[in-house]
Amino acid sequence: MPADPGRVLRRSGLAGRAGFSSVILDRGRQREIMVLDELWAALSGASGAALACCFVAVAIALRWSGRRTARGKAARARQRQQEALETMDKAVQRFRLQNPDLDSEALLALPLPQLVQKLRSGELSPEAALFTYVGKAWEVNRETNCVTAYLADCETQLTSAGPRRGLLYGIPVSLKECFSYKGQDSTLGLSVNQGVPAEYDSVVVQVLKLQGAVPFVHTNVPQSMFSYDCSNPLFGQTFNPWKSSKSPGGSSGGEGALIGAGGSLLGLGTDIGGSIRFPSAFCGICGLKPTANRLSKSGLKGCVYGQVAVQLSVGPMARDVESLALCLRALLSEDMFRLDATVPPIPFREEVYTSSRPLRVGYYETDNYTMPTPAMKRAVLETKERLEAAGHMLIHFLPSDIPHALETLSTGALFSDGGHHLLQNFKGDFVDPCLGDLISFLKLPRWLKGLLAFLLKPLLPRLTAFLDSMKSRSAGKLWELQHEIEVYRNTVVAQWRALDLDVLLTPMLSPALDLNAAGKAIGAVSYTVLYNCLDFPAGVVPVTTVTAEDEAQMEHYRGYFGDIWDWMLQKAVKKSVGLPVAVQCVALPWQEELCLRFMREVEQLMPCEKRPS
């Protein structure tokens, strides 16, 4: 067919140029246009179809090659995990042969403060404590798959230890995998990070060692840590120690499972949306999310850096509140203030933690966003009654505008780049089912996110609000969002102070959800994410377990919206009789000692089984 000059000119980029005239079309340019037209005609025929098929084939081949690489890295990660577990077992067997008279069960039963006392006095050796817990961790891992690596130089640390000093002298401590440890990978469950060992210890790990503690294992996390479940393609699924069909929570899920089953006395986790509090609640232990900058974050491995509107916190996880307090005492030392000058040099305020004055306690039974399960509501009301009977003043208080804080402020802050930086970590990798539809949503172009949000809003208002907030935004819009968060924090603080509150008692999502349900029940993060947005310290304490009556009442649970998130939550918490249920304790920023004091009060008034039978 004869060429259409206008079409060719448009294709060649010449049409529409100012001053264009036929005079410019010299012979060279005419030949160029003829070549372009012939090329276009060729691409429009059978050879063009063949070329298109080649492009598709290349794309498929590249995708297959990437997946093949990911499979290889997953195989290597699991091989290293298995080798680490074998090393643990051999070390324990060797120690037991040399120390046949050691009563391991008695040692494992010791609370942290008593174990510290026996280690410092010399009644027990650090070797006895370490290898007893290495052995227990190995046993726990067989049921829960919570350990990803053995930090084998812990044995060297014992032989090179100096005098018996440090608040955590001789105490084995477990670490969430994101804490950099020299010579060890921090994969975050992503193949891109496999085989990339850390060059140095993170600051909090250095401080732990200076305080005499002995870090001994890394524990599992969900892929990318953007989930409150705990599974990834490298190390697989971690299971709840109370019931294997249930999630241990996330993203510090390996820590929750290990400590909850007695394989560790004390661990460190991180929290940007509930990642310390979910595993603690699901596994029946205690956990504290401090104010974001109270403890050093230097040296932590992450997927997204530079997002500061809603910040990550480092915090302790343990069987009881006193262990959390002891860990915080040790970390809030001159060592940390020296190693990380960005951390405010505020030592642990003992007088606040040990105070016995009556407290003015705010409380709410529901945030009117996620309907509490019957067990959650009962836990708050029973705790309220015990606190009142103990002489504390309870005042109803619900922070304002919670839906806006969740859907617009928190989600908008976490995904202000449209998820671009997070998605970079998934190139050529598999996406774990625990993430639900998050990665698929983030991959949508900005215009499509907006269109879907508009079309689905009448049917799924919560989902569409989250989707709309996941759109990328300009620097100016990000600054506006950060200012909105500042204004919101100031508003809630003013409301709090108007009632002269000391602390706040809230529900905590529990019991544990089914495996892989978290990614389909995103709205249920409302009880935890709020206090990341506000940057208030918040901790959880187990106070009861699910009863048969609680279970029966769940049959009538519909949620406040009747949407897919409510439906999934109702389904995911069934068959939970006997599982732990927690409450959340909150204080104003930089008041970790007061938060812990309140948690200790709740723990003493609401004694609860902490470990699975």
Side-chain angles (χ1 to χ4, degrees):
M1 291 180 62
D4 175 357
R7 187 183 67 182
V8 175
L9 294 179
R10 285 192 295 273
R11 253 186 263 123
S12 62
L14 298 176
R17 288 186 181 177
F20 177 80
S21 72
S22 59
V23 177
I24 301 177
L25 289 176
D26 56 17
R27 292 179 180 177
R29 185 60 57 86
Q30 288 175 354
R31 282 196 299 270
E32 180 183 330
I33 293 171
M34 290 175 65
V35 170
L36 286 171
D37 191 60
E38 290 171 1
L39 179 61
W40 179 254
L43 289 175
S44 300
S47 58
L51 188 59
C53 290
C54 288
F55 284 136
V56 172
V58 168
I60 292 173
L62 288 173
R63 182 178 177 85
W64 179 84
S65 176
R67 291 296 177 87
R68 184 181 182 185
T69 301
R71 284 192 188 93
K73 290 195 171 187
R76 286 192 291 276
R78 295 201 185 198
Q79 182 181 357
R80 291 187 65 178
Q81 180 191 34
Q82 189 58 41
E83 290 170 353
L85 292 168
E86 290 172 1
T87 301
M88 290 171 69
D89 189 35
K90 289 176 182 177
V92 171
Q93 297 306 324
R94 184 170 60 248
F95 176 80
R96 287 174 178 170
L97 284 173
Q98 297 169 353
N99 299 271
D101 298 327
L102 179 68
D103 188 345
S104 297
E105 292 302 317
L107 192 155
L108 290 169
L110 290 172
L112 178 59
Q114 289 184 28
L115 180 57
V116 169
Q117 187 178 23
K118 288 181 180 294
L119 288 166
R120 290 174 69 88
S121 69
E123 186 177 343
L124 284 172
S125 69
E127 290 82 4
L130 174 63
F131 290 113
T132 297
Y133 270 100
V134 169
K136 183 63 176 179
W138 184 86
E139 292 175 9
V140 168
N141 184 75
R142 288 190 302 175
E143 303 297 325
T144 62
N145 188 38
C146 58
V147 174
T148 61
Y150 177 46
L151 309 178
D153 71 338
C154 61
E155 300 177 34
T156 307
Q157 189 182 338
L158 288 182
T159 59
S160 61
R164 299 184 190 123
R165 60 188 179 196
L167 293 179
L168 294 173
Y169 171 73
I171 297 298
V173 177
S174 49
L175 302 172
K176 184 177 182 177
E177 202 219 28
C178 62
F179 287 93
S180 296
Y181 195 94
K182 185 177 180 180
Q184 294 288 336
D185 293 347
S186 286
T187 68
L188 314 184
L190 294 156
S191 64
V192 69
N193 296 326
Q194 197 277 327
V196 187
E199 296 180 1
Y200 55 86
D201 293 344
S202 57
V203 164
V204 287
V205 171
Q206 294 179 55
V207 177
L208 284 173
K209 290 180 176 180
L210 290 168
Q211 287 290 328
V214 185
F216 73 113
V217 288
H218 261 161
T219 55
N220 205 22
V221 298
Q223 188 180 27
S224 79
M225 302 196 297
F226 272 76
S227 172
Y228 65 102
D229 200 346
C230 191
S231 176
N232 64 70
L234 296 187
F235 301 109
Q237 175 74 58
T238 297
F239 303 95
N240 191 299
W242 293 72
K243 190 172 184 179
S244 60
S245 63
K246 297 293 182 177
S247 168
S251 60
S252 309
E255 282 300 309
L258 184 63
I259 298 169
S264 176
L265 267 175
L266 177 66
L268 286 185
T270 61
D271 190 313
I272 199 172
S275 293
I276 287 173
R277 289 161 289 164
F278 284 122
S280 298
F282 287 10
C283 296
I285 63 172
C286 300
L288 175 70
K289 177 206 81 71
T291 310
N293 209 37
R294 189 76 197 264
L295 296 177
S296 174
K297 293 174 278 189
S298 178
L300 288 188
K301 184 80 170 183
C303 286
V304 177
Y305 298 99
Q307 189 284 112
V308 296
V310 174
Q311 293 195 51
L312 180 84
S313 296
V314 169
M317 301 167 69
R319 297 179 195 168
D320 53 61
V321 177
E322 185 55 45
S323 298
L324 302 179
L326 179 55
C327 183
L328 219 59
R329 285 190 196 99
L331 291 175
L332 293 173
S333 64
E334 289 301 322
D335 293 323
M336 186 173 69
F337 306 145
R338 172 177 53 83
L339 290 168
D340 188 348
T342 68
V343 174
I346 309 171
F348 190 84
R349 291 165 292 193
E350 201 68 44
E351 70 281 2
V352 177
Y353 177 64
T354 57
S355 172
S356 58
R357 70 174 179 85
L359 297 170
R360 286 179 61 85
V361 183
Y363 78 96
Y364 56 88
E365 303 165 29
T366 176
D367 62 5
N368 296 318
Y369 192 83
T370 300
M371 180 180 286
T373 65
M376 287 169 65
K377 185 174 181 179
R378 179 174 58 81
V380 170
L381 293 178
E382 289 180 358
T383 304
K384 170 184 175 288
E385 291 173 3
R386 298 278 183 93
L387 287 166
E388 287 176 325
H392 303 286
M393 177 69 71
L394 275 289
I395 304 108
H396 188 270
F397 170 68
L398 181 66
S400 63
D401 216 357
I402 290 176
H404 180 67
L406 303 174
E407 297 169 350
T408 302
L409 303 184
S410 301
T411 307
L414 291 170
F415 300 106
S416 280
D417 67 341
H420 173 74
H421 283 84
L422 178 62
L423 291 175
Q424 298 304 304
N425 296 275
F426 286 85
K427 285 186 175 180
D429 208 346
F430 297 94
V431 177
D432 195 90
C434 80
L435 294 173
D437 297 320
L438 174 64
I439 302 303
S440 298
F441 283 152
L442 292 177
K443 285 182 177 179
L444 297 175
R446 189 180 191 281
W447 67 267
L448 187 52
K449 289 175 186 173
L451 179 61
L452 285 175
F454 175 76
L455 295 175
L456 295 176
K457 188 172 184 178
L459 298 174
L460 301 168
R462 291 198 295 175
L463 175 60
T464 55
F466 273 77
L467 192 58
D468 194 50
S469 293
M470 288 179 178
K471 294 187 297 186
S472 60
R473 64 193 71 218
S474 66
K477 290 295 182 182
L478 176 58
W479 294 344
E480 290 176 10
L481 180 71
Q482 290 173 332
H483 179 62
E484 274 192 74
I485 292 173
E486 291 174 358
V487 170
Y488 180 67
R489 286 173 182 159
N490 292 334
T491 299
V492 174
V493 169
Q495 294 168 347
W496 181 299
R497 287 184 167 156
L499 295 175
D500 195 25
L501 300 179
D502 293 309
V503 288
L504 178 64
L505 173 70
T506 88
M508 176 63 209
L509 183 67
S510 40
L513 275 61
D514 290 340
L515 298 172
N516 289 326
K520 302 167 187 173
I522 302 298
V525 302
S526 61
Y527 288 101
T528 53
V529 169
L530 176 65
Y531 298 103
N532 296 93
C533 181
L534 290 168
D535 198 18
F536 288 9
V540 297
V541 181
V543 295
T544 186
T545 56
V546 178
T547 65
E549 185 178 353
D550 294 329
E551 183 83 13
Q553 290 178 10
M554 274 306 297
E555 292 297 325
H556 308 292
Y557 183 97
R558 294 295 179 270
Y560 292 123
F561 297 84
D563 58 14
I564 188 170
W565 288 347
D566 282 339
W567 178 81
M568 180 53 68
L569 182 60
Q570 191 262 359
K571 179 183 176 185
V573 296
K574 287 184 175 180
K575 299 179 181 179
S576 297
V577 173
L579 296 187
V581 180
V583 294
Q584 183 171 228
C585 303
V586 184
L588 289 177
W590 309 108
Q591 296 293 330
E592 282 72 24
E593 296 87 349
L594 182 57
C595 187
L596 285 167
R597 183 259 156 119
F598 181 40
M599 291 170 67
R600 186 191 64 197
E601 191 82 10
V602 169
E603 180 183 50
Q604 292 172 350
L605 294 172
M606 300 290 292
C608 180
E609 182 184 1
K610 299 289 181 68
R611 297 171 66 179
S613 56

